[in-house]
C-alpha cells in the first residue's frame, strides 16, 4: 500500500489527520519524563497518556536518541517511573550503530557514556578505523575529544558516526549540551561530515515504520525537539507534533525552516485530541 496524497488538505492537518492514523511514535526524554537525579521525573499526565494509547487501536513505538544507558536499563528506569513500556517497543541509536559497524566491518573508537558501553561488547574495538560519539556528558573532556580527533586524523578515510545530533536537552536542573555540539567540533577539526545514526536520520525513522508495518502517512511523531523529532519525521512524510515540555522553546513556533503540524501543551493533551478525533 502507498500513501495517497490527493486527500483534501482539510483532512490532512492536525488534529484531523488523527482519524486516519494507524500508529504513533513517541520521543522519551522531554515527552514522557525529564531526566535528572535518580530516575528523573515523569511529566504530569504522561503515564496515563501512554496507557490510553496502548489501550486504543493504534500501534505505539518509542523512538529516542538516548545514549547514556543500554535500552534495557533505561526501559527499566521508565518502568520504575510507572510507564507501561517494553524493550522491543523502543528504538535507540546504539543497537542501530552496532548493526552498521558489523555490516561494514568497522572497528570503533568509542567516545560515549560509560553506561552505554555494554551495547558495543560484540564489536571488535582493536586498531580502530572509525569513531563513534554519543551523549558522553562528563566524558566529553578535552583529552577524550582530542583522542577521538587524533584517531580520525590518522585514518586515510576517516569515518565519524554520531548517535544523534541534538544541540541540547533538558534535565531537572536545567539545559545540557548534547552530542551534536561535539559532533560539529570534530567535523570542523577533521574537515569531514559525520554519519548520523538516530533521529533525524530517515533510515532510523524507517526502521520504526518497518517494525510497525505502516506507511509514513499513517504515522504520527510526537516530540519536544522541533528539528530532530518533528522535522525528521516530516522529512519522511510523517506528521510531526511538538509538545511544550522538555527542551521546547517559544521560538520553536517561529522557526525559519521547520513548522510542526501541531503544537500542544503536553503529551496528555495530544492524546486527548487524537482519541477525540477517533471517537474514543
Amino acid at each position: 500500500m502507498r500513501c495517497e496524497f490527493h486527500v483534501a488538505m482539510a483532512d490532512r492537518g492536525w488534529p484531523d489527520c488523527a482519524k486516519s492514523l494507524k500508529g504513533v511514535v513517541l520521543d522519551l526524554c522531554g515527552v514522557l519524563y525529564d531526566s535528572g537525579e535518580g530516575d528523573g521525573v515523569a511529566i504530569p499526565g504522561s503515564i496515563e497518556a501512554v496507557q490510553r494509547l496502548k489501550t486504543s487501536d493504534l500501534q505505539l513505538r518509542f523512538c529516542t536518541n538516548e545514549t547514556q544507558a543500554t535500552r534495557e536499563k533505561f526501559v527499566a528506569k521508565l518502568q520504575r517511573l510507572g510507564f507501561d513500556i517494553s524493550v522491543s517497543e523502543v528504538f535507540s541509536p546504539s543497537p542501530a550503530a552496532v548493526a552498521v559497524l558489523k555490516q561494514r566491518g568497522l572497528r570503533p573508537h568509542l567516545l560515549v557514556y560509560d553506561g552505554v558501553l555494554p551495547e558495543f561488547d560484540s564489536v571488535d574495538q582493536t586498531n580502530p578505523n572509525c569513531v563513534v560519539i554519543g551523549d558522553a556528558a562528563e566524558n566529553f573532556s578535552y583529552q577524550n575529544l582530542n583522542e577521538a580527533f587524533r584517531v580520525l586524523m590518522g585514518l586515510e578515510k576517516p569515518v565519524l558516526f554520531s548517535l544523534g545530533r541534538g544541540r541540547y536537552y533538558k534535565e531537572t536542573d536545567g539545559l545540557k549540551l548534547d552530542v551534536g555540539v561535539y559532533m560539529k567540533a570534530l567535523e570542523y577539526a577533521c574537515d569531514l561530515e559525520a554519519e548520523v545514526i538516530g533521529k533525524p536520520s530517515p533510515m532510523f525513522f524507517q526502521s520504526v515504520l518497518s517494525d510497525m508495518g505502516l506507511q509514513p502517512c499513517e504515522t504520527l511523531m510526537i516530540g519536544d525537539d522541533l528539528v530532530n523529532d518533528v522535522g525528521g519525521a516530516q522529512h519522511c512524510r510523517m506528521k510531526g507534533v511538538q509538545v511544550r515540555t522538555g527542551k521546547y522553546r517559544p521560538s520553536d513556533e517561529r522557526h525559519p525552516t521547520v513548522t510542526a503540524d501541531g503544537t500542544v501543551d503536553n503529551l496528555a493533551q495530544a492524546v486527548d485530541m487524537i482519541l477525540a478525533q477517533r471517537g474514543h
Side-chain angles (χ1 to χ4, degrees):
M1 193 200 97
R2 64 183 182 87
C3 294
E4 297 293 342
F5 284 95
H6 61 261
V7 181
M9 281 302 293
D11 192 46
R12 299 296 296 169
W14 169 261
D16 286 349
C17 64
K19 296 172 187 172
S20 57
L21 286 180
K22 293 185 179 178
V24 175
V25 180
L26 302 180
D27 180 31
L28 292 175
C29 183
V31 178
L32 271 59
Y33 75 106
D34 283 323
S35 61
E37 195 75 22
D39 289 337
V41 179
I43 293 170
S46 60
I47 295 172
E48 296 79 8
V50 168
Q51 195 57 45
R52 292 180 69 197
L53 285 173
K54 288 222 162 186
T55 55
S56 74
D57 57 350
L58 293 164
Q59 291 198 58
L60 179 62
R61 298 292 187 276
F62 303 89
C63 188
T64 179
N65 278 354
E66 165 68 58
T67 55
Q68 286 200 2
T70 63
R71 273 193 306 175
E72 289 76 13
K73 285 198 172 178
F74 68 73
V75 166
K77 174 178 72 174
L78 289 167
Q79 290 170 344
R80 288 193 296 271
L81 287 173
F83 291 99
D84 178 7
I85 183 171
S86 62
V87 172
S88 62
E89 297 169 320
V90 175
F91 290 77
S92 64
S94 298
V98 168
V100 170
L101 293 169
K102 289 181 175 179
Q103 181 184 11
R104 289 164 59 175
L106 293 171
R107 303 178 302 277
H109 170 84
L110 298 173
L111 177 47
V112 298
Y113 198 74
D114 291 346
V116 83
L117 285 171
E119 295 268 30
F120 294 89
D121 282 348
S122 64
V123 179
D124 182 6
Q125 297 168 38
T126 58
N127 189 24
N129 56 4
C130 70
V131 169
V132 175
I133 63 168
D135 176 17
E138 293 80 8
N139 286 349
F140 277 133
S141 64
Y142 174 82
Q143 181 179 348
N144 289 343
L145 275 168
N146 201 53
E147 188 178 358
F149 161 73
R150 286 177 171 176
V151 170
L152 289 166
M153 293 298 284
L155 297 172
E156 185 179 345
K157 294 182 178 179
V159 178
L160 172 64
F161 294 102
S162 184
L163 306 182
R165 67 170 195 196
R167 295 177 177 178
Y168 58 87
Y169 54 91
K170 183 187 175 189
E171 290 197 340
T172 51
D173 62 348
L175 298 177
K176 302 290 177 75
L177 289 174
D178 203 351
V179 64
V181 177
Y182 305 96
M183 176 196 83
K184 287 292 184 183
L186 289 172
E187 283 185 331
Y188 180 68
C190 301
D191 192 22
L192 54 74
E193 186 173 340
E195 297 183 39
V196 177
I197 300 177
K199 296 174 294 185
S201 163
M203 189 184 305
F204 194 59
F205 281 106
Q206 188 56 55
S207 68
V208 184
L209 291 169
S210 297
D211 186 67
M212 291 192 287
L214 298 181
Q215 296 294 318
C217 60
E218 300 172 316
T219 314
L220 171 72
M221 174 76 204
I222 302 176
D224 65 327
D225 186 322
L226 181 70
V227 173
N228 294 312
D229 293 338
V230 173
Q234 290 174 333
H235 187 67
C236 297
R237 302 199 298 187
M238 297 164 63
K239 290 291 185 186
V241 167
Q242 186 182 24
V243 289
R244 296 188 182 98
T245 54
K247 67 188 293 181
Y248 163 86
R249 316 297 285 170
S251 59
D252 289 345
E253 298 188 46
R254 305 182 300 278
H255 195 278
T257 60
V258 181
T259 302
D261 291 291
T263 308
V264 294
D265 288 340
N266 49 41
L267 178 61
Q269 185 182 61
V271 172
D272 282 345
M273 295 172 77
I274 291 168
L275 298 183
Q277 287 292 322
R278 300 174 70 81
H280 291 285

